[in-house]
Amino acid sequence: MLHTKKILGLAAAIAAATSAHAAEGVKPAAEALFHVGPLPVTNSMVTSWIVAAVLLVAIRLAVGTPKLVPGRGQALVEGLVEGIMDLVSPIVGAKAVKSAFPLLVCLFIFILIQNWSGLVPGVGTVYMKDPEGRWMEAVRPGNADLNGTFALAVVAFVGWLYLILRYAGPKMILFDLFGNKADRREIPALIYYFLFVVFFAVGLIEVISIMFRPISLSFRLYGNVLGGENLLHSMSEITRWGLPVPFYFLEVLIGFVQAFVFTLLVSVYIGLLCNHGDDHAEGDAHAAEESGHH
């Protein structure tokens, strides 16, 4: 009996803490559940690990042993993969798409499920006490943590850098950033040489813009997910029945859009350099064909 009273008392305390924290909304920063040496393990990290594990198990169970005639699970996974492949291939370019695709498909699926993880009952709404006796979220959406979204942006940036160096090359990158794109045959020499200075200045601005890409990618994703979490908390505080439902559907849409935008932007960043070379190659081939006919 005493044990039952303790359990009921703890449940009541958690419920009271949940109600109080719902009124406050989601905290901007994730909180450490425990430490491994000097490194904190936060509630958002735990959610990210759970999402990664669920994805690995789900895809493995769905695909099983790949067959020539796919089953439902394999067909579903293949359909998703082919859909993303068809979407990014014209953007990234034929040369780089096969190498870029694993990065892009993993980013899209992982970010999408991370965004939707905040809609699972208990995520962001169940609280526990930290070692100092303060109440905090037991689990928190991974993308509602700026550290998590910045890590995704850094992975995307490193992948982008590798791909452009491999498929565009340093010469093409330097020309695209700082080179004079004007046609010397169409403009006076004085203006043509002055444009070297102009394009070099524009290149410096572009380098600054490139360095800010991880910041813009991470803040956009973090802000939308955190804002959605706070919106659901606010609506649930007004009434737990009925009112939050339309906002759940809204967050399903926003979660998809944000995963799509993140992946699409990374695809565009890759294609701006890697696909640029394809255009030149096609143009040279067309010119050679025309010369052959003449």
Side-chain angles (χ1 to χ4, degrees):
M1 179 65 74
L2 184 60
H3 184 65
T4 304
K5 288 182 178 180
K6 288 183 178 179
I7 294 175
L8 292 175
L10 179 60
I14 293 175
T18 300
S19 178
H21 283 78
E24 296 174 3
V26 181
K27 293 182 179 179
E31 297 172 288
L33 297 178
F34 56 91
H35 287 74
V36 178
L39 301 176
V41 176
T42 66
N43 42 17
S44 63
M45 291 171 62
V46 171
T47 308
S48 299
W49 294 342
I50 293 172
V51 167
V54 168
L55 280 174
L56 288 172
V57 172
I59 292 174
R60 182 61 183 169
L61 290 177
V63 175
T65 302
K67 300 175 183 177
L68 187 61
V69 180
R72 292 182 180 179
Q74 183 180 340
L76 177 64
V77 174
E78 288 181 356
L80 176 62
V81 168
E82 289 175 4
I84 300 174
M85 182 76 163
D86 293 339
L87 176 67
V88 302
S89 182
I91 302 171
V92 173
K95 288 191 304 182
V97 66
K98 289 185 178 180
S99 296
F101 180 70
L103 170 68
L104 297 174
V105 71
C106 288
L107 283 174
F108 176 75
I109 295 175
F110 184 72
I111 293 172
L112 178 65
I113 303 304
Q114 282 273 60
N115 291 347
W116 285 351
S117 68
L119 304 178
V120 176
V123 178
T125 57
V126 173
Y127 291 84
M128 60 179 288
K129 284 187 177 182
D130 65 11
E132 298 179 2
R134 296 173 300 182
W135 288 102
M136 63 178 181
E137 294 169 309
V139 282
R140 173 192 180 99
N143 289 339
D145 179 8
L146 186 57
N147 295 304
T149 59
F150 187 70
L152 289 170
V154 169
V155 169
F157 185 81
V158 172
W160 166 82
L161 186 62
Y162 165 77
L163 290 166
I164 64 170
L165 286 173
R166 178 177 178 182
Y167 292 101
K171 184 177 179 180
M172 172 65 75
I173 295 170
L174 290 174
F175 176 78
D176 189 82
L177 290 174
F178 303 107
N180 190 340
K181 285 82 174 177
D183 190 340
R184 188 174 183 179
R185 295 168 297 181
E186 297 180 356
I187 58 176
L190 181 63
I191 296 177
Y192 176 77
Y193 288 112
F194 174 72
L195 286 176
F196 276 102
V197 178
V198 174
F199 279 111
F200 182 78
V202 171
L204 293 177
I205 296 172
E206 181 65 16
V207 169
I208 296 173
S209 173
I210 289 171
M211 298 305 296
F212 272 91
R213 283 176 184 174
I215 298 174
S216 63
L217 285 171
S218 57
F219 271 85
R220 181 186 297 108
L221 181 58
Y222 164 72
N224 279 279
V225 174
L226 183 68
E229 285 293 300
N230 275 304
L231 176 64
L232 290 177
H233 275 245
S234 300
M235 294 302 103
S236 298
E237 181 62 19
I238 295 173
T239 175
R240 295 183 180 277
W241 306 104
L243 183 59
V245 173
F247 296 97
Y248 267 85
F249 287 106
L250 178 63
E251 287 305 307
V252 169
L253 176 61
I254 291 176
F256 173 82
V257 169
Q258 289 306 312
F260 179 77
V261 167
F262 192 104
T263 308
L264 189 62
L265 285 173
V266 176
S267 303
V268 170
Y269 296 153
I270 297 169
L272 284 173
L273 284 164
C274 297
N275 208 7
H276 188 62
D278 291 347
D279 294 340
H280 280 297
E282 290 176 6
D284 293 342
H286 181 70
E289 185 180 351
E290 290 293 326
S291 299
H293 286 311
H294 289 304

